[in-house]
């Protein structure tokens, strides 16, 4: 099954707070290496309190984004906020299948590098459940933990440098 992570998001006046730009990331994004921190993406839809972005993982829904949303944006998710499990992803929102490429055991926590399509994702969980290298796993990126930031390096996806 999926192991939910318990830490709470950054809050400001009871609302989720998204960094407004790359410069604002500070410690909120300092450890966010799951999507290489600077994973560029493209907004494809905006709903009531949500933005859907196209990423190398597919379409990801975010509930934590700046307003206004610029054309150069990036998606970041801290490794400890990604839920890892063994159930097939099915049609569940923000859920992707991958293969464990690397496992780093550090006592109470285990960090995994998971291959998803042409990219890798880093996920952390407790050592109570472990997956071996080569295991097929499912990753869930909770929309409230998917942080969109303005000012992605290198311009918008598909832009020439």
């Amino acid at each position: 099954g999926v192991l939910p992570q318990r830490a709470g998001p950054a809050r400001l006046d009871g609302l989720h707070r998204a960094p407004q730009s790359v410069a604002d990331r500070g410690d909120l994004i300092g450890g966010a290496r799951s999507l290489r921190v600077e994973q560029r993406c493209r907004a494809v839809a905006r709903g009531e309190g949500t933005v859907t972005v196209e990423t190398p993982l597919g379409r990801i829904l975010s509930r934590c984004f700046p307003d206004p949303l610029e054309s150069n944006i990036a998606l970041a998710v801290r490794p400890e906020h990604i839920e890892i499990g063994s159930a097939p992803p099915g049609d569940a929102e923000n859920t992707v299948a991958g293969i464990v490429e690397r496992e780093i055991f550090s006592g109470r926590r285990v960090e995994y590098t998971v291959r998803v399509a042409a990219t890798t994702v880093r996920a952390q969980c407790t050592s109570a459940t472990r997956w071996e290298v080569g295991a097929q796993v499912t990753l869930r990126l909770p929309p409230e933990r998917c942080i969109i930031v303005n000012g992605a390096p290198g311009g918008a996806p598909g832009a020439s440098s």
Side-chain angles (χ1 to χ4, degrees):
V2 173
L3 299 175
Q5 304 301 312
R6 301 281 186 223
R11 293 185 179 268
L12 181 63
D13 297 325
L15 301 173
H16 295 289
R17 180 183 77 73
Q20 295 298 305
S21 70
V22 173
D24 292 339
R25 293 178 189 186
D27 63 346
L28 179 64
I29 307 298
R33 298 170 307 188
S34 60
L35 294 177
R36 295 190 184 125
V37 184
E38 305 302 330
Q39 185 65 56
R40 293 181 294 150
C41 56
R42 179 177 59 89
V44 293
R46 192 163 186 157
E48 186 67 31
T50 65
V51 169
T52 300
V53 293
E54 188 67 45
T55 75
L57 303 176
R59 290 191 176 202
I60 300 293
L61 181 77
S62 170
R63 296 191 195 286
C64 192
F65 55 92
D67 195 14
L69 197 61
E70 297 174 358
S71 60
N72 293 338
I73 57 175
L75 170 67
V77 184
R78 292 181 65 108
E80 64 269 23
H81 294 161
I82 296 175
E83 300 166 4
I84 185 169
S86 57
D91 291 334
E93 183 176 85
N94 286 15
T95 306
V96 296
I99 298 175
V100 175
E101 286 191 341
R102 186 172 172 206
E103 173 194 39
I104 301 173
F105 178 77
S106 60
R108 291 184 26 204
R109 306 211 49 78
V110 181
E111 183 170 300
Y112 295 94
T113 300
V114 179
R115 169 73 47 196
V116 178
T119 193
T120 58
V121 176
R122 295 174 98 169
Q124 282 183 1
C125 63
T126 67
S127 59
T129 304
R130 305 224 359 232
W131 289 270
E132 294 183 14
V133 171
Q136 287 202 305
V137 295
T138 298
L139 302 177
R140 180 175 176 274
L141 291 72
E144 64 277 6
R145 304 297 190 165
C146 294
I147 301 169
I148 306 296
V149 292
N150 286 328
S160 24
S161 318

